[in-house]
Amino acid sequence: MPPVTSNAQGKGTPRGITAEAARGLAREARTREREPRGAPGSRATMCELYSKQDTLALRRKHIGPSCKVFFAADPIKIVRAQRQYMFDETGEQYLDCINNVAHVGHCHPEVVKAALKQMELLNTNSRFLHDNIVEYARRLAATLPEKLSVCYFTNSGSEANDLALRLARQFRGHQDVITLDHAYHGHLSSLIEISPYKFRKGKDVKKAFVHVAPTPDTYRGKYREDHADPASAYAEEVKEIIEEAHNSGRKIAAFIAESMQSCGGQIIPPAGYFQKVAEYVHRAGGVFIADEVQVGFGRVGKHFWSFQMHGEDFVPDIVTMGKPMGNGHPMACVVTTKEIAEAFSSSGMEYFNTYGGNPVSSAVGLAVLNIIENEDLQGNATRVGDYLTELLNKQKAKHTLIGDIRGIGLFIGIDLVKDRQKRTPATDEAQHVIYEMKEKRVLLSADGPHRNVLKIKPPMCFTEEDAKFMVDKLDEILTVLEEAIGVQSESMISENAPCRAKLPNEAHSELLSDGTSDPRENPSPKRNGLCTDKHSLLSKRLKT
C-alpha cells in the first residue's frame, strides 16, 4: 500500500499491519510539510515509515554490513529530492554535489511522466517487438561516431562492462585485459578482477590475465605536468605491458579505461594518450573499451561523450554507459561496431537480458535525451563548470591546502595536500571537510587512492548560484581548518615532539569503506616535519 501522508489523518489504521508499523504510519501522518528553499515546485509532504533511529536499526539488522552509507558517523535520512536539492526527514535542504546519477535533476517531471505513461500501457521484456527500444537505440547511436552503431541494453554499468569484456574476448579469442591503476569498473567478479581500486592491500592476488598500467595522472603520477610528453610516456608503459604479455605467450583482448577516472581521483588523461594506446592495443589484436558509466551524456559540456575530448581521430571500439542514462532508473548499455557484434553472434550463444531495454526503461532514456537537448544541459555544464573552476582556482590561490583543481564541465576534483611541493595527500583534512560541508548543507564526497580528492559531479541543472554557495562554504571551512593547523604547527608541537597518528572514528570508517588501504598503516610518525596527528586537535576544536 502507498505511504499514508498528512492528508490521510483520521482515516484509521489499515487492517493487517503490526503495531510497530502502525506507529510508523502515525509518525508519518504527523510529518510537517515544508516549502523547498531554492527549489521550484509546489509544497510537498515529507513521508516516513520509521523514525531515523528505527531506520538505522532496521538497516543494521537486514542490510548487509558491507553496504555502506554516506557519512557513516552521522548518516542523513533523505526522504525527497527535487532537481539539485535533497531533503531530510525534517525538511532540511541539502545542495547535492554528489549525484551524477540524477543527471537531469532529481525527480524531473518529464522523466516521471514518461515512466508513468509507459507503465500504464505496457512493460515487458525485449523479445517482443516494440518501438521504444529501437527508437532509443537510434537516438543513442546518433550521439556517437558513425561506426559505433550496435546496442546491447542492460540494467547497470557493471552489467555493461561485464558484457563489454565478453564482446572483446569473443572478437579474436584473446583473454588478457589491460586496466589502469586505481580503476573501478563495477561490482561483478569479472570486474573486481580488473578494478585495482577494489584490490585489498596484501590480500588479493592479481590474476595472470590482468595487467595494470599506470594511471595517466599528470599531477601525482609517474610523469607529471613538467614532463615533455606525458601522453607518450604513459602510453609507452602500455606498449611495454603488451610486449611483456606477448613474450609470456599471452594475448591482449582489451584495454579498458574510464574516459575520465572518477574513483581514481578525477583524473583527466593528457591529450594524445588514448590515441597512442589505441594504436598499440589494435596492433596487438585487442580492442579499446571506453567506460563512460560515470562521465557520459554531456557532463563535460562541449562534448556528449567524454572520450570525444581527445579529438575526432580517436574512436573506441566499445563504449559502456550507465548511471546518468535513466536519471536514477536502472538502465545501461554497451555500444559497439557491427564487426564486433557479428563476431559475438557467431559464437552461437544468444544474448538475452530480461529487463534490458524494456519499454519503460527506453521511454525513460528517451526523456533524458530530450531534456538534455531541450534544457541545454550541455551548455549549462560548460557555463557553470567554467565559473565553478574559476571560483575554485581563486580558492587555490588563497588556501595552501588546495594542491590542484582539475576537471572539465561539471566533473571537477579538488586535490587537498599537506605540502604543495611534495604533494602529500591531505587525507584526514579531506574527511574533515566533507563532514563540515554536510553540516553546512552541502553534500560532497572524497575519493582517489588516498581519499583526499573532493569530487564535484552534481546534477546537470546545477546553477552558478549553487556553485557560489558551495565555494563560499568551502572557503569558510578551509579558513578555519588552516588556522587550526597553523596554530598546531607553529606553537603546539616542536620539530622533535613524538606523536601518534589518530583519525576520528567517522573519518576512519569513510576511509576504509570499499577496501581502501588504512592510512594508519604508515609507520612514520612525522611528515614534512609536522606531526600527523592533526585531527586529534581538530576533533576537539572543530567538533569533527
Side-chain angles (χ1 to χ4, degrees):
M1 63 174 287
V4 178
T5 68
S6 56
N7 295 325
Q9 289 185 19
K11 292 189 177 181
T13 302
R15 291 178 296 172
I17 67 171
T18 65
E20 181 182 13
R23 287 193 295 271
L25 292 172
R27 278 193 299 271
E28 178 185 33
R30 294 192 296 270
T31 305
R32 294 174 295 168
E33 291 188 352
R34 295 286 186 90
E35 180 70 37
R37 292 168 291 153
S42 61
R43 297 172 70 88
T45 304
M46 304 295 171
C47 299
E48 287 187 275
L49 288 174
Y50 305 102
S51 69
K52 182 176 179 179
Q53 291 72 24
D54 289 347
T55 301
L56 278 168
L58 285 168
R59 184 179 178 98
R60 293 187 188 107
K61 181 177 181 181
H62 295 298
I63 306 300
S66 57
C67 300
K68 306 296 184 182
V69 295
F70 285 125
F71 311 107
D74 182 25
I76 308 170
K77 184 176 183 180
I78 296 297
V79 299
R80 192 173 65 85
Q82 192 171 13
R83 294 180 66 80
Q84 64 270 44
Y85 307 102
M86 305 183 83
F87 301 86
D88 69 13
E89 78 281 9
T90 70
E92 284 291 336
Q93 174 182 293
Y94 294 83
L95 178 61
D96 181 6
C97 302
I98 293 175
N99 268 295
N100 59 338
V101 178
H103 192 63
V104 300
H106 291 281
C107 303
H108 194 291
E110 293 302 314
V111 175
V112 174
K113 179 181 175 182
L116 177 60
K117 182 179 179 181
Q118 184 57 51
M119 278 192 279
E120 289 178 332
L121 290 174
L122 170 73
N123 198 23
T124 186
N125 69 58
S126 55
R127 283 187 171 182
F128 291 102
L129 197 62
H130 196 275
D131 287 344
N132 283 9
I133 187 172
V134 294
E135 174 61 6
Y136 185 64
R138 183 189 70 82
R139 289 278 304 277
L140 192 64
T143 69
L144 290 155
E146 186 176 359
K147 81 170 190 176
L148 294 168
S149 60
V150 183
C151 302
Y152 295 88
F153 291 103
T154 66
N155 308 289
S156 71
S158 291
E159 279 188 66
N161 280 330
D162 178 76
L163 178 57
L165 292 181
R166 289 177 59 191
L167 289 167
R169 285 170 168 154
Q170 177 63 31
F171 185 47
R172 289 204 171 94
H174 301 178
Q175 291 298 312
D176 287 24
V177 176
I178 302 174
T179 187
L180 293 177
D181 202 5
H182 313 309
Y184 174 65
H185 295 290
H187 61 80
L188 301 182
S189 296
S190 62
L191 303 172
I192 296 295
E193 291 173 344
I194 63 166
S195 297
Y197 177 83
K198 287 287 188 179
F199 289 177
R200 296 169 300 167
K201 188 174 181 180
K203 296 181 180 179
D204 287 330
V205 177
K206 182 176 67 65
K207 300 292 195 302
F209 62 81
V210 177
H211 310 275
V212 179
T215 304
D217 179 359
T218 57
Y219 177 71
R220 196 183 297 284
K222 186 174 181 180
Y223 309 108
R224 300 186 175 184
E225 71 277 4
D226 57 353
H227 190 280
D229 187 0
S232 295
Y234 278 116
E236 192 69 22
E237 297 274 348
V238 176
K239 182 182 178 182
E240 290 176 7
I241 286 172
I242 293 171
E243 291 172 351
E244 290 175 7
H246 286 176
N247 291 338
S248 300
R250 310 196 67 90
K251 295 182 178 180
I252 303 299
F255 172 91
I256 184 169
E258 294 174 271
S259 299
M260 299 188 295
Q261 212 173 50
S262 181
C263 293
Q266 312 295 84
I267 305 301
I268 317 298
Y273 171 71
F274 279 170
Q275 284 93 330
K276 294 178 186 298
V277 168
E279 177 186 344
Y280 299 146
V281 171
H282 288 156
R283 194 183 300 166
V287 301
F288 192 112
I289 302 172
D291 181 342
E292 292 267 342
V293 171
Q294 294 258 19
V295 295
F297 290 88
R299 179 158 293 277
V300 297
K302 294 179 181 178
H303 303 282
F304 201 83
W305 303 104
S306 296
F307 72 79
Q308 292 171 322
M309 294 187 303
H310 297 272
E312 294 182 0
D313 60 335
F314 170 68
V315 180
D317 305 291
I318 300 173
V319 177
T320 60
M321 55 196 74
K323 294 184 188 299
M325 193 172 182
N327 207 53
H329 182 88
M331 61 183 304
C333 187
V334 179
V335 185
T336 190
T337 66
K338 185 176 180 181
E339 182 184 13
I340 291 174
E342 288 177 347
F344 187 57
S345 178
S346 70
S347 69
M349 182 185 294
E350 178 186 3
Y351 176 75
F352 171 59
N353 189 310
T354 303
Y355 300 109
N358 69 71
V360 171
S361 294
S362 297
V364 167
L366 285 166
V368 170
L369 291 180
N370 290 337
I371 294 163
I372 292 171
E373 181 178 353
N374 295 339
E375 298 185 6
D376 188 28
L377 293 184
Q378 278 187 255
N380 189 66
T382 297
R383 289 186 297 272
V384 178
D386 287 351
Y387 176 66
L388 178 54
T389 300
E390 178 185 345
L391 293 179
L392 289 172
N393 277 315
K394 289 179 180 178
Q395 293 300 309
K396 179 184 175 184
K398 179 179 179 180
H399 297 290
T400 58
L401 271 171
I402 298 178
D404 190 35
I405 304 295
R406 53 181 177 264
I408 184 169
L410 287 174
F411 183 83
I412 299 170
I414 307 171
D415 199 311
L416 299 186
V417 297
K418 298 175 186 289
D419 182 301
R420 279 190 176 178
Q421 283 190 324
K422 297 181 180 179
R423 304 185 182 186
T424 312
T427 302
D428 297 358
E429 291 81 355
Q431 299 305 310
H432 173 79
V433 167
I434 64 173
Y435 272 89
E436 288 296 302
M437 289 291 278
K438 176 180 74 87
E439 294 303 310
K440 294 182 181 293
R441 304 299 184 257
V442 178
L443 303 182
L444 280 177
S445 62
D447 221 325
H450 307 286
R451 289 296 176 96
N452 69 305
V453 180
L454 305 181
K455 296 170 64 174
I456 304 173
K457 47 185 181 64
M460 295 274 282
C461 51
F462 203 72
T463 67
E464 290 187 355
E465 290 77 14
D466 297 325
K468 181 69 163 58
F469 179 79
M470 188 214 81
V471 173
D472 285 348
K473 298 304 177 186
L474 181 63
D475 180 26
E476 292 173 13
I477 291 166
L478 291 179
T479 297
V480 175
L481 180 56
E482 288 178 340
E483 287 176 357
I485 293 171
V487 169
Q488 183 193 28
S489 63
E490 292 172 8
S491 61
M492 298 193 71
I493 57 172
S494 69
E495 177 71 19
N496 298 316
C499 63
R500 303 176 86 186
K502 182 179 181 181
L503 288 168
N505 290 334
E506 67 271 20
H508 188 236
S509 64
E510 295 284 333
L511 287 165
L512 295 187
S513 63
D514 295 327
T516 307
S517 60
D518 189 338
R520 295 182 296 189
E521 290 177 347
N522 187 346
S524 175
K526 294 184 181 181
R527 294 193 188 110
N528 308 327
L530 296 180
C531 180
T532 56
D533 192 17
K534 289 178 182 176
H535 262 280
S536 62
L537 173 70
L538 293 176
S539 62
K540 296 175 184 176
R541 295 195 172 199
L542 305 179
K543 297 181 180 179
T544 302

